[in-house]
C-alpha cells in the first residue's frame, strides 16, 4: 500500500529527498555546514529551482496561547542555520 492509498491512521514517512524539474524538497535531513551548529536539522528545506529561492521550514503545533512564544523560539533556533545557508548560497539564491 503506498502513501496515497494508506488509511488516515497509518503513519506515512516521506522520502528524505524529492525532486522534479522545478523543485527539490529535503525532509528531516541535517544541513552540512562549515560551522558546527546545534540546530542543523530543520523539518524541511524547499528549493525552487527557477526562482533560485531556498525556504527553511520548521514546524510545530503549539497550544493557542503559546503560538507567539513558539514562533520566536523557532526563529531564534534557526537563525544560525539560516545565516550559514545565506553564506553558502550567496549570489546563487535567496534564503
Amino acid at each position: 500500500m503506498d502513501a496515497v492509498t494508506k488509511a488516515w491512521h497509518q503513519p506515512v514517512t516521506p522520502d528524505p529527498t524529492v525532486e522534479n524539474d522545478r523543485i527539490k524538497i529535503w525532509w528531516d535531513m541535517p544541513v552540512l555546514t562549515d560551522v558546527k551548529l546545534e540546530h542543523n536539522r530543520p523539518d524541511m528545506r524547499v528549493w525552487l529551482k527557477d526562482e533560485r529561492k531556498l525556504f527553511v521550514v520548521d514546524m510545530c503545533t503549539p497550544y493557542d496561547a503559546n503560538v507567539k512564544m513558539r514562533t520566536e523560539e523557532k526563529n531564534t533556533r534557526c537563525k544560525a542555520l539560516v545565516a550559514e545557508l545565506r553564506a553558502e548560497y550567496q549570489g546563487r539564491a535567496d534564503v
Side-chain angles (χ1 to χ4, degrees), residues 33-76:
T33 59
D34 294 336
V35 178
K36 183 174 169 53
L37 300 173
E38 183 178 351
H39 302 289
N40 70 337
R41 191 182 201 107
D43 293 329
M44 183 171 33
R45 286 178 289 151
V46 179
W47 171 247
L48 301 178
K49 295 176 180 182
D50 293 338
E51 293 87 353
R52 303 183 65 76
K53 291 187 178 186
L54 179 69
F55 295 90
V56 177
V57 181
D58 213 14
M59 299 176 263
C60 68
T61 53
Y63 179 69
D64 290 346
N66 296 330
V67 170
K68 184 177 180 181
M69 178 188 70
R70 293 291 287 166
T71 301
E72 290 171 357
E73 181 182 298
K74 292 281 187 178
N75 287 340
T76 301

Side-chain angles (χ1 to χ4, degrees), residues 13-37:
T13 303
D15 293 331
T17 305
V18 178
E19 183 174 10
N20 64 25
D21 58 330
R22 294 179 27 232
I23 193 168
K24 184 170 184 177
I25 300 172
W26 296 269
W27 176 260
D28 196 31
M29 289 186 64
V31 179
L32 302 176
T33 59
D34 294 336
V35 178
K36 183 174 169 53
L37 300 173

